[in-house]
């Protein structure tokens, strides 16, 4: 026996997602009981239209179909199923609560779907839903326009490097729920708990000499700080590319080049942000959030800020972000310890120069430091 089922994922006007309507539109493998009526598709209707019609009729809701989603095939010993997904929006003002009452489902943000016990076979639909939701929030022309959402990978930088080598365009985004070998700067690892971190990489293809391209990680750091400040959170940049709240690390950035015999072909900007709880191992120096942030909305906000900073950087290099360099530098005029090689040097931080160097005032005068890091906890 083969069934064709139409499944509708319904968004309320705040963008929250209903889990799927019971019966015809519930993910079959999560329903377990196989109680759906079979999704009757009338003549001339697409499966997605059928799902919308059913919901309209049964729940008397005002809804609009937004888009058709993936078609997923499940094969079971006794029968197989083709599941057509669509996304619908409840019209503003429509009694969305009724839907909630009518089903035993709850409103869920796409970003929180990982918390639910969806079966393996349904995961492509969930990833698609997350990508779709992210797309509705995105206002950029470039960054985030080519998304690859993954459940798990060794690291988003690794995955994006492979895509970059296969010719992926600038703006390509890789996001993963889990990283099995997330990497940090200087050979360290990046740890995060499932669902509690925003882990992603963006591909840029700048056409500048390496010394200018190297300042891109500062641009990304400034954009993270600005994204949080727009939310009223006082995040600052610790040179070269840690984002702190107070003295604790909120976000780390790892930029890596894709090179060929011709030189730098692309730069991968890998960003890890603690958006919920942090792992015990780093809890003494990291900061997260008790109530996890909606990562997809945060990511869309970041892409927007980053794109505008990137455009300024493209025309005027780091000098075009002079104001942000001064405003977000949270160590400026403070005594710091900088690790250049193995020996730390003490001094007073005197800001970040437009070539990306940290200015360190020591008894010998002001020294520009192009690579190293401010030692804080180690
Ligand atoms: C650091 O603070 O040392 C940099 C951490 C960078 C972590 C991010 S998470 C997404 C991307 N993929 C990785 O493997 N690393 C970066």
């Amino acid at each position: 026996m083969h069934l064709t089922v139409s499944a509708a994922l319904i968004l309320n006007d705040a963008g929250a997602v209903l889990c799927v309507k019971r019966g015809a539109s519930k993910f079959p493998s999560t329903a377990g009981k196989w109680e759906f009526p079979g999704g009757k598709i009338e003549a001339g209707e697409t499966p997605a239209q059928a799902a919308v019609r059913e919901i309209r009729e049964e729940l008397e809701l005002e809804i609009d179909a937004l888009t058709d989603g993936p078609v997923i095939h499940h094969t079971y010993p006794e029968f197989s199923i083709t599941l057509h997904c669509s996304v619908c929006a409840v019209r503003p003002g429509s009694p969305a609560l009724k839907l909630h009452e009518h089903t035993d489902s709850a409103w869920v943000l796409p970003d929180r779907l990982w918390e639910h016990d969806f079966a393996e076979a349904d995961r492509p639909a969930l990833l698609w839903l997350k990508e779709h939701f992210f797309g509705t929030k995105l206002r950029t022309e470039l960054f985030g326009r080519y998304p690859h959402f993954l459940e798990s990978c060794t690291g988003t930088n690794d995955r994006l490097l492979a895509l970059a080598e296969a010719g992926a365009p600038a703006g390509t985004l890789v996001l993963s729920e889990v990283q099995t070998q997330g990497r940090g700067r200087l050979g360290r690892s990046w740890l995060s708990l499932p669902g509690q971190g925003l882990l992603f990489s963006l591909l840029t293809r700048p056409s500048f000499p390496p010394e200018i391209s190297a300042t891109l990680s500062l641009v990304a750091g400034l954009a993270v700080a600005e994204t949080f400040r727009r939310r009223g959170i006082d995040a600052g940049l610790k040179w070269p590319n840690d984002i702190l709240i107070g003295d604790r690390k909120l976000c780390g950035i790892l930029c890596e080049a894709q090179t060929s015999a011709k030189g730098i072909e692309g730069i991968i900007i890998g960003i890890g942000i603690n958006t919920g709880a942090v792992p015990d191992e780093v809890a003494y120096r990291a900061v997260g959030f008790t109530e996890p942030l909606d990562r997809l909305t945060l990511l869309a906000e970041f892409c927007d800020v980053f794109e505008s900073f990137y455009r300024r950087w493209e025309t005027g290099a780091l000098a075009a972000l002079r104001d942000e360099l001064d405003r977000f530098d949270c160590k400026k005029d403070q005594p710091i310890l900088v690790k250049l090689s193995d020996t730390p040097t003490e001094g007073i931080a005197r800001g970040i120069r437009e070539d990306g160097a940290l200015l360190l005032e020591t008894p010998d005068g002001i020294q520009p430091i192009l690579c190293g890091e401010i030692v804080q906890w180690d």
Side-chain angles (χ1 to χ4, degrees):
M1 178 172 56
H2 183 87
L3 297 176
T4 300
V5 180
S6 43
L9 305 162
I10 306 172
L11 306 177
N12 72 6
D13 43 5
V17 169
L18 138 95
C19 54
V20 192
K21 186 172 80 75
R22 203 179 161 83
S25 54
K26 190 155 187 166
F27 284 117
S29 46
T30 49
K33 303 174 205 139
W34 310 112
E35 58 191 18
F36 42 79
K40 283 181 238 92
I41 300 171
E42 290 177 357
E45 255 183 352
T46 66
Q49 285 165 344
V52 173
R53 177 183 47 73
E54 282 178 10
I55 293 161
R56 242 186 224 134
E57 286 168 9
E58 290 173 28
L59 306 182
E60 296 161 24
L61 275 178
E62 296 281 298
I63 56 171
D64 293 320
L66 290 182
T67 178
D68 282 5
V71 179
I72 299 169
H73 302 280
H74 297 274
T75 307
Y76 298 94
E78 300 85 17
F79 55 88
S80 58
I81 289 177
T82 304
L83 177 68
H84 297 259
C85 296
S86 67
V87 167
C88 317
V90 175
R91 255 179 230 154
S94 168
L97 255 186
K98 198 170 168 188
L99 184 64
H100 181 81
E101 285 161 10
H102 203 93
T103 69
D104 58 2
S105 50
W107 295 97
V108 171
L109 280 171
D111 187 31
R112 307 286 290 265
L113 285 170
W114 60 271
E115 291 169 6
H116 296 260
D117 194 17
F118 284 105
E120 200 60 38
D122 294 325
R123 299 214 169 258
L126 301 184
L127 288 173
W128 174 83
L129 174 63
K130 281 163 68 170
E131 273 188 25
H132 173 86
F133 179 76
F134 171 67
T136 64
K137 301 262 163 191
L138 197 64
R139 292 188 300 274
T140 59
E141 282 173 3
L142 183 63
F143 292 113
R145 284 287 152 206
Y146 311 98
H148 295 252
F149 281 23
L150 311 172
E151 284 293 312
S152 177
C153 63
T154 56
T156 55
N157 273 28
D158 303 343
R159 186 61 75 98
L160 186 53
L161 180 61
L163 290 170
E165 279 169 351
T172 301
L173 164 74
V174 173
L175 173 134
S176 189
E177 193 70 65
V178 171
Q179 292 187 139
T180 53
Q181 292 163 46
R183 291 183 291 109
R185 292 178 67 238
L186 309 170
R188 299 187 190 118
S189 38
W190 180 262
L191 303 177
S192 65
L193 301 169
Q196 308 292 309
L198 175 57
L199 313 170
F200 67 101
S201 302
L202 276 174
L203 180 62
T204 60
R205 294 207 180 273
S207 49
F208 295 118
E211 62 280 12
I212 306 249
S213 296
T215 63
L216 199 48
S217 70
L218 281 163
V219 180
L222 295 173
V224 173
E226 170 70 10
T227 305
F228 277 92
R229 289 198 183 199
R230 287 187 187 181
R231 289 176 164 230
I233 296 169
D234 197 14
L237 178 79
K238 177 171 85 75
W239 181 91
N241 43 21
D242 286 347
I243 313 306
L244 311 184
I245 297 178
D247 239 6
R248 290 176 171 234
K249 185 156 164 174
L250 169 70
C251 160
I253 299 174
L254 175 67
C255 286
E256 295 179 300
Q258 178 221 338
T259 53
S260 74
K262 285 189 256 158
I264 295 180
E265 302 275 356
I267 294 189
I268 286 150
I269 303 172
I271 302 184
I273 305 178
N274 303 322
T275 51
V278 295
D280 289 345
E281 298 93 309
V282 295
Y284 69 100
R285 61 182 167 92
V287 62
F289 294 87
T290 330
E291 181 56 35
L293 305 181
D294 175 42
R295 293 169 300 171
L296 301 177
T297 306
L298 182 70
L299 179 57
E301 288 169 9
F302 168 79
C303 288
D304 198 35
V305 174
F306 180 62
E307 186 153 306
S308 74
F309 282 17
Y310 187 86
R311 297 293 183 218
R312 283 160 61 192
W313 177 81
E314 271 188 321
T315 49
L318 211 47
L321 293 157
R322 181 70 264 167
D323 176 49
E324 285 78 8
L325 277 176
D326 292 332
R327 280 194 298 123
F328 299 161
D329 178 359
C330 61
K331 294 289 167 190
K332 195 162 181 213
D333 299 328
Q334 289 186 26
I336 53 164
L337 202 57
V338 179
K339 206 162 158 186
L340 306 170
S341 50
D342 279 343
T343 13
T345 310
E346 273 180 61
I348 309 284
R350 291 299 182 206
I352 301 168
R353 217 166 59 174
E354 286 161 14
D355 60 357
L358 170 75
L359 296 174
L360 182 69
E361 187 178 323
T362 67
D364 300 331
I366 294 187
Q367 298 178 35
I369 296 172
L370 268 164
C371 52
E373 66 176 345
I374 299 176
V375 185
Q376 196 162 8
W377 306 283
D378 330 23

